[in-house]
Amino acid sequence: MTSQPGQHMAAEIAQQPEIFSSLYERRAEFASVASAIRARAPRFVLFAARGSSDHAAIYAKYLTEVLLELPAGLVSASTTTLYGAEPDLRDVLLVTVSQSGGSPDLLEVTASARRRGALTVAVTNTATSPINAAAELSVDVGAGVEHAVAATKTYSATLLALYLLVDAARGGDGSAAASLGELASSALASPGIDEVVGRYRFVDRVLTTGRGYSYPTALEASLKLAETSYLAARAYSGADLLHGPVAAVDAETAVLAVTSAGKGGDALRDVLEAVHQRGADVTAVGSAADKVAAAHRILVPETAEEVAPILEILPIQRLAHGLALARGGDPDNPRGLNKVTRTL
């Protein structure tokens, strides 16, 4: 039977409420790994990732700095794989985030960091992956096999897995995530998505933006639009947007702004007012979408700010899927892309 364009991506988007509920029920597994992390008392946290997983790692960086009050950073894998650098990583926690767990550069980074004294944790969707074997500890994202090239359920499930891990590391019980499965269904049914698909079908460039916890969502939104609809999409932190890039914003610019209730959403209001005044076509997505200057709004149920990105991305995935089909593409198989990208 011949598959229809986008059918895998659509099915995988729809699976996310159930995946969230299942992950929450497994929170004791994350608490066990978190207990081992606490016992080692790391003073610094490093994240290693690529692609969509890199955006999930940036989200986890915010969680680490805000909830655990530990300094955190992102690994430049090439310092290990190309330049052979061997910094002292004692008292460091290295978390490798990889949907497949098969990228050679991340495998080398993980193994090298463990040799150099780091406590290594793998967060993957493949429990039997080489990276899981290389790391001292691991957690399974548990999203199931993903057939579409564009990551949807594996991305959001990775966000939730990282939240459960970090929250458990601070002694939390994961309660902020308790209702995400139910709320995800509402987020996926948010009205306004089809309107924005029709509006943006013929645009050439899109700018995405967010502040705080929502910034990683803006990054992932940019990637999804670029890889599925071949749009010239660029993501900026709202803080950086006014430091020069706003000069390129005009009436021909489509702006996708991710804004949810909390400090990040509050900080984005003045930015969007400036962008709106320049004539840009602004679509606001999030639980605070009705509180900012925008031409279109896609509301998402309100949650604690630190878990909002897990819901924010859902209607954006539907938007990317709808735009790809409207523009004549197949989001299951974007041109020139493979499910696993192997970099050295």
Side-chain angles (χ1 to χ4, degrees):
M1 181 177 178
T2 303
S3 62
Q4 297 297 312
Q7 73 174 41
H8 292 305
M9 185 177 179
E12 287 156 5
I13 289 172
Q15 291 167 17
Q16 291 172 106
E18 182 179 350
I19 291 169
F20 293 172
S21 296
S22 176
L23 263 172
Y24 181 73
E25 292 301 317
R26 292 173 46 221
R27 61 193 181 278
E29 298 175 27
F30 296 88
S32 176
V33 175
S35 177
I37 292 172
R38 288 198 306 273
R40 292 281 287 270
R43 292 293 305 142
F44 195 95
V45 183
L46 287 173
F47 293 93
R50 292 287 191 193
S52 286
S53 292
D54 198 38
H55 304 154
I58 294 172
Y59 166 67
K61 181 177 180 292
Y62 275 91
L63 291 173
T64 301
E65 292 177 342
V66 177
L67 303 185
L68 298 183
E69 296 186 332
L70 287 176
L74 301 176
V75 168
S76 297
S78 61
T79 61
T80 296
T81 61
L82 299 183
Y83 297 99
E86 296 188 353
D88 185 349
L89 295 182
R90 287 173 293 178
D91 298 325
V92 171
L93 168 65
L94 177 97
V95 181
T96 303
V97 186
S98 173
Q99 291 153 15
S100 68
S103 182
D105 57 347
L106 297 181
L107 174 60
E108 184 173 343
V109 165
T110 305
S112 175
R114 187 172 181 180
R115 289 194 304 269
R116 288 179 279 128
L119 171 61
T120 51
V121 178
V123 179
T124 79
N125 192 46
T126 309
T128 58
S129 75
I131 290 175
N132 283 58
E136 186 173 343
L137 302 168
S138 64
V139 293
D140 181 10
V141 168
V145 177
E146 191 171 59
H147 296 284
V149 170
T152 54
K153 65 178 183 176
T154 54
Y155 176 74
S156 61
T158 298
L159 295 185
L160 180 51
L162 288 165
Y163 170 74
L164 291 172
L165 181 63
V166 172
D167 181 64
R170 66 166 174 169
D173 61 2
S175 57
S179 60
L180 287 181
E182 178 183 348
L183 296 178
S185 296
S186 297
L188 286 170
S190 298
I193 298 173
D194 292 339
E195 174 192 347
V196 179
V197 168
R199 181 74 175 175
Y200 286 1
R201 179 178 179 181
F202 299 107
V203 301
D204 295 319
R205 58 192 177 102
V206 177
L207 183 154
T208 66
T209 188
R211 286 293 309 269
Y213 286 115
S214 294
Y215 174 51
T217 308
L219 291 167
E220 178 65 9
S222 177
L223 175 61
K224 282 293 160 285
L225 293 172
E227 69 182 348
T228 60
S229 298
Y230 316 135
L231 287 167
R234 181 69 182 270
Y236 291 100
S237 161
D240 292 329
L241 183 57
L242 297 183
H243 289 186
V246 74
V249 174
D250 56 25
E252 300 300 316
T253 308
V255 176
L256 186 66
V258 188
T259 175
S260 286
K263 294 179 179 178
D266 291 344
L268 196 64
R269 289 183 191 176
D270 290 345
V271 176
L272 293 185
E273 185 62 40
V275 169
H276 187 70
Q277 289 177 0
R278 294 187 67 86
D281 193 288
V282 179
T283 294
V285 180
S287 61
D290 58 349
K291 297 178 176 63
V292 298
H296 321 284
R297 294 176 172 84
I298 300 174
L299 281 167
V300 173
E302 185 173 340
T303 62
E305 185 177 8
E306 60 264 29
V307 297
I310 301 167
L311 296 183
E312 292 167 346
I313 194 60
L314 303 185
I316 294 172
Q317 292 171 350
R318 281 199 54 210
L319 174 61
H321 177 270
L323 275 174
L325 294 178
R327 292 164 69 92
D330 181 0
D332 285 346
N333 296 290
R335 63 193 183 204
L337 297 180
N338 295 306
K339 188 61 182 170
V340 180
T341 301
R342 299 187 179 277
T343 50
L344 299 173

